[in-house]
Amino acid sequence: MSKQKIDDEPLMSIIIPAYNEEQTIVKQIQNLAECSLGFPTEIIVVDGGSTDQTVRKVREIDFTCLVTQSKGRAVQMNAGADYSSGSILYFVHADSKPPDSFQNDIRKALKNGEQAGCYRFTFDSDHLLPKLNSFFTRFDRLMCRGGDQTLFVTRGLFYELNGFKNDYKIMEDFEFIRRLRKREPFTIIQKDTVVSARKYDHNSYLKVNLVNFVVFMMFFFGASQEAMIHAYKQLIANTKFG
């Protein structure tokens, strides 16, 4: 299910990488589908080998759920892109809620000649530090980016760049956007995606931000995937890295 066809608008493929998201995935799909009414859209969930009921829940509501052989958002998002049919690819994390106007926003940006971009983000939290962190996502700086902000890109540009790097288990979105920005302007739509603050349930806001900064600097200076993942797992409790 999930395809709606209108002749005068291009098809948008919404691709959701998921891993153990049984608590959020149905609500996420239903929200994206509701906001897409009247637009040609397909929604594809790509599961990375969940041990919970994510796959069953997606298929029970009659949406496509692919399952990849290995966990990792890069692999999952590439698999979703390869399976998809849309000329617009929109990558959305399972716990990120884009503005209800995302269909109009993205299509308007594309009609204005933009080929790729994202939103700002805000956390579903009233704490001061997350608000400060969110403020900087309005600026076009690589350090201020991240997959939580969602990412739209034309199919042609995505494949010109050869998609995400399959061997990336962390920072795959930063790596892709860095390559993309060397090719095309990158648009920051000045509206907020609402991101779950659940990663802070077992870690302080200050600690998560410091760790994110450390890992970004490791990425910037060319650290290996193994080194970055090791650092993240050592410093952050309850991560989804295996």
Side-chain angles (χ1 to χ4, degrees):
M1 197 178 107
S2 73
K3 284 193 180 182
Q4 308 159 28
K5 294 186 177 179
I6 298 177
D7 291 338
D8 59 352
E9 286 283 352
L11 177 67
M12 177 185 290
S13 298
I14 302 175
I15 298 165
I16 309 170
Y19 180 75
N20 287 349
E21 294 288 356
E22 65 180 6
Q23 300 299 321
T24 62
I25 196 65
V26 171
K27 182 177 179 181
Q28 175 70 306
I29 292 170
Q30 290 174 339
N31 178 69
L32 291 168
E34 183 177 345
C35 293
S36 297
L37 291 174
F39 296 95
T41 306
E42 63 179 1
I43 297 175
I44 301 165
V45 176
V46 189
D47 185 82
S50 292
T51 57
D52 66 1
Q53 299 300 309
T54 299
V55 175
R56 180 179 65 82
K57 285 179 175 289
V58 174
R59 291 174 178 170
E60 278 182 349
I61 58 172
D62 200 23
F63 280 81
T64 298
C65 187
L66 310 178
V67 179
T68 57
Q69 294 298 313
S70 60
K71 182 175 68 172
R73 284 195 178 118
V75 170
Q76 291 168 244
M77 291 187 290
N78 283 338
D82 288 345
Y83 181 88
S84 71
S85 303
S87 59
I88 308 167
L89 302 179
Y90 187 38
F91 299 96
V92 182
H93 289 184
D95 61 349
S96 296
K97 182 184 181 299
D100 291 348
S101 60
F102 74 85
Q103 287 278 359
N104 277 319
D105 298 338
I106 293 170
R107 292 171 187 277
K108 181 179 178 181
L110 293 168
K111 288 174 182 175
N112 287 339
E114 308 293 347
Q115 292 199 58
C118 69
Y119 285 98
R120 307 176 314 206
F121 81 72
T122 187
F123 286 107
D124 57 355
S125 167
D126 292 326
H127 287 270
L128 178 61
L129 192 55
K131 286 181 177 293
L132 181 63
N133 188 21
S134 301
F135 173 80
F136 289 100
T137 63
R138 69 193 61 224
F139 302 115
D140 185 16
R141 296 291 183 271
L142 184 62
M143 184 180 290
C144 302
R145 301 280 63 84
D148 288 338
Q149 298 161 42
T150 74
L151 170 69
F152 72 88
V153 58
T154 63
R155 186 180 199 86
L157 180 57
F158 181 80
Y159 281 103
E160 283 178 29
L161 295 167
N162 296 313
F164 297 96
K165 289 193 173 181
N166 278 329
D167 58 341
Y168 269 59
K169 305 294 184 183
I170 187 172
M171 304 297 284
E172 73 288 332
D173 37 19
F174 289 87
E175 192 282 328
F176 179 77
I177 292 171
R178 182 166 63 180
R179 282 187 285 126
L180 190 158
R181 289 169 77 241
K182 292 178 181 178
R183 177 75 71 85
E184 294 287 339
F186 192 76
T187 299
I188 314 299
I189 299 176
Q190 297 299 320
K191 296 182 182 180
D192 290 326
T193 293
V194 180
V195 178
S196 171
R198 62 185 180 176
K199 71 175 68 175
Y200 300 103
D201 290 346
H202 305 281
N203 302 276
S204 72
Y205 289 97
L206 180 60
K207 182 177 182 180
V208 172
N209 278 277
L210 287 174
V211 172
N212 286 342
F213 176 75
V214 167
V215 173
F216 177 84
M217 294 309 294
M218 291 176 71
F219 164 75
F220 185 81
F221 287 108
S224 69
Q225 287 284 292
E226 292 75 15
M228 288 187 285
I229 291 171
H230 178 75
Y232 206 89
K233 288 170 67 175
Q234 291 297 308
L235 296 169
I236 295 292
N238 293 76
T239 73
K240 288 192 175 184
F241 293 113

